[in-house]
Amino acid sequence: MIEETLLKNEEKAVYALRSLYRRYGYLPFRMSKFEEYELYVRNKDFLVSDRVITFNDTNGKLLALKPDVTLSIIRGGEDTPGVKQKVCYNENVYRVSESTHRFKEIMQAGLECIGDVDLYDIYEVISLAAQSLTLISDRCALEISHLGLLSAVLDELCPDGAFREQALRYIAGKNAHDLRRLCAEYGIGPDGTDRLAVFITAYGDRHRVLDNLRAVFGTGAVRELQMLSDLLDGSPVGDRVTFDFSVVNDMNYYNGFVFRGFLDGICDSVLSGGQYDNMMRRVGRSSGAVGFALYLDLLEQLTSVRREYDVDVLLLYGPDTDCRAVADKVAALQADGLTVTAQKAVPAKLRFRELCDMRGGGV
């Protein structure tokens, strides 16, 4: 049995998450550490960073250490009516760190539901995302947005790509002042500006947000949001889930629901996901897809419980001490549930509860 105190936060999370996902029928997906570089070149907009570590294979083909897992999963699947491929994973990816600007190996866990995806599947994945966060910490939150509703309003107000890009940036930053200024520059009237600005204030309690959206866009426009919220009301983790339209992912790849998760004590989002039907079309797939990734490297920022001692017993023995006596003494101490380190001298900075000195015939 593995002693939990010996595991890092991210290692504990891997075991708990794997068990959770298997209960819902998500099967482990294994993949190589590298893929053909061409896969990432064609889909570089989807990647967190377009900087990729590359090398030549023995046959001269250019390969890359994988910076993403989702692309590898969807590339090898098939579209079968009525069937969904449900997979989970914990893999290392290789990306440039935002803090050090150097390549970093990142432990990532997540799941993907690919195929004939419906509202239940979206609810299940979102529920599992919230459950994943609660397995790590009770102090967590999952924020959901709907790009379909946001995209429809942007298309109606102004089809200009530059306007759309700037508007999304201001909505993501909850910057109402610059959003209104942008609307004025593009000749959008007060009514249209107010409708778009609603997305900046549309965050928090799901029921309150739905009331605000219905008042502006009507019941039909928020029907899917309402249905998902009703399902979450019956979920044990529903109180951890809010609506927030500042959650904006790349609309070239994502559509419908998108979400991100947070843990108290970590300033960045530790979980990101959503529907990516658009990306499926980009790689030649016709089915739908929804999934998320949990960035386990960020869990290093959580405060771990620090043990008072490194070991319970420091056992000292001399060059003439009988080896059998040392082995028997270590075994006896361990049989009492103690941790032991056998040394010939006291290691610097070692914290121990008890000293057992066998030098000179001691026991």
Side-chain angles (χ1 to χ4, degrees):
M1 183 175 180
I2 297 175
E3 185 179 347
E4 188 170 317
T5 56
L6 300 179
L7 300 176
K8 298 179 180 178
N9 287 321
E10 58 267 33
E11 292 170 332
K12 295 176 187 177
V14 166
Y15 287 107
L17 294 171
R18 185 182 301 161
S19 176
L20 170 64
Y21 302 156
R22 288 300 297 269
R23 291 203 300 272
Y24 285 81
Y26 287 80
L27 304 180
F29 188 91
R30 301 298 180 194
M31 63 197 77
S32 171
K33 288 184 179 295
F34 40 84
E35 288 274 10
E36 293 183 15
Y37 178 61
E38 183 184 359
L39 174 66
Y40 304 120
V41 171
R42 293 197 308 265
N43 300 281
K44 63 180 181 179
D45 292 342
F46 177 74
L47 302 176
V48 175
S49 170
D50 61 359
R51 297 175 65 183
V52 180
I53 301 174
T54 61
F55 62 97
N56 287 313
D57 199 354
T58 54
N59 61 3
K61 184 170 291 185
L62 189 61
L63 300 180
L65 287 176
K66 64 176 184 294
D68 177 80
V69 174
T70 302
L71 286 168
S72 298
I73 293 175
I74 66 176
R75 189 183 69 158
E78 297 179 353
D79 299 317
T80 304
V83 175
K84 289 164 283 195
Q85 177 191 16
K86 295 186 175 184
V87 299
C88 61
Y89 62 87
N90 60 275
E91 295 283 342
N92 290 335
V93 295
Y94 304 86
R95 296 175 180 168
V96 174
S97 168
E98 292 184 1
S99 58
T100 66
H101 305 290
R102 301 176 65 182
F103 278 105
K104 181 179 181 180
E105 184 177 34
I106 299 170
M107 184 185 295
Q108 179 177 302
L111 58 81
E112 311 292 344
C113 180
I114 302 170
D116 196 354
V117 172
D118 56 25
L119 181 63
Y120 169 76
D121 299 305
I122 295 169
Y123 159 73
E124 182 179 83
V125 169
I126 289 175
S127 175
L128 283 169
Q131 290 182 62
S132 298
L133 295 172
T134 59
L135 280 176
I136 301 169
S137 171
D138 288 334
R139 301 172 65 85
C140 62
L142 186 73
E143 301 174 343
I144 302 177
S145 177
H146 196 292
L147 296 184
L149 177 58
L150 180 55
S151 181
V153 175
L154 288 170
D155 289 342
E156 178 185 342
L157 293 178
C158 181
D160 186 276
F163 169 80
R164 186 189 189 94
E165 181 179 349
Q166 285 288 340
L168 288 172
R169 183 176 296 113
Y170 293 144
I171 291 171
K174 290 186 169 67
N175 187 343
H177 173 77
D178 284 334
L179 180 65
R180 291 185 176 278
R181 175 186 55 76
L182 178 70
C183 288
E185 290 177 1
Y186 279 83
I188 297 172
D191 289 344
T193 300
D194 289 343
R195 293 178 69 203
L196 194 57
V198 166
F199 292 113
I200 291 180
T201 58
Y203 66 92
D205 177 78
R206 297 194 312 276
H207 304 95
R208 179 179 59 79
V209 170
L210 283 168
D211 288 341
N212 292 341
L213 294 176
R214 269 193 297 266
V216 176
F217 303 111
T219 301
V222 298
R223 179 175 176 271
E224 199 170 20
L225 282 165
Q226 180 68 67
M227 293 171 66
L228 176 66
S229 184
D230 290 344
L231 288 169
L232 289 169
D233 285 341
S235 167
V237 291
D239 60 337
R240 311 297 173 93
V241 184
T242 61
F243 286 149
D244 188 339
F245 278 83
S246 70
V247 181
V248 178
N249 291 352
D250 189 340
M251 290 187 180
N252 291 320
Y253 289 90
Y254 290 95
N255 65 292
F257 291 102
V258 291
F259 47 90
R260 63 187 175 191
F262 296 87
L263 296 173
D264 187 34
I266 301 178
C267 58
D268 298 316
S269 60
V270 300
L271 183 150
S272 178
Q275 292 177 257
Y276 52 92
D277 298 356
N278 292 343
M279 190 178 100
M280 295 287 285
R281 306 295 176 269
R282 291 282 294 267
V283 298
R285 299 284 301 275
S286 60
S287 56
V290 59
F292 63 82
L294 182 61
Y295 305 107
L296 299 177
D297 63 302
L298 295 175
L299 302 189
E300 296 174 358
Q301 300 178 33
L302 291 177
T303 303
S304 299
V305 177
R306 182 173 173 82
R307 300 183 68 187
E308 186 177 356
Y309 302 103
D310 298 314
V311 292
D312 295 316
V313 180
L314 168 61
L315 187 151
L316 292 178
Y317 66 95
D320 298 328
T321 308
D322 181 67
C323 290
R324 172 51 59 188
V326 175
D328 289 345
K329 188 62 176 178
V330 169
L333 292 168
Q334 291 176 339
D336 290 335
L338 302 174
T339 58
V340 187
T341 179
Q343 304 276 354
K344 291 182 179 179
V346 179
K349 299 182 180 179
L350 179 73
R351 298 169 304 155
F352 54 92
R353 188 196 310 269
E354 178 185 344
L355 175 65
C356 178
D357 194 343
M358 296 184 69
R359 295 173 299 183
V363 293

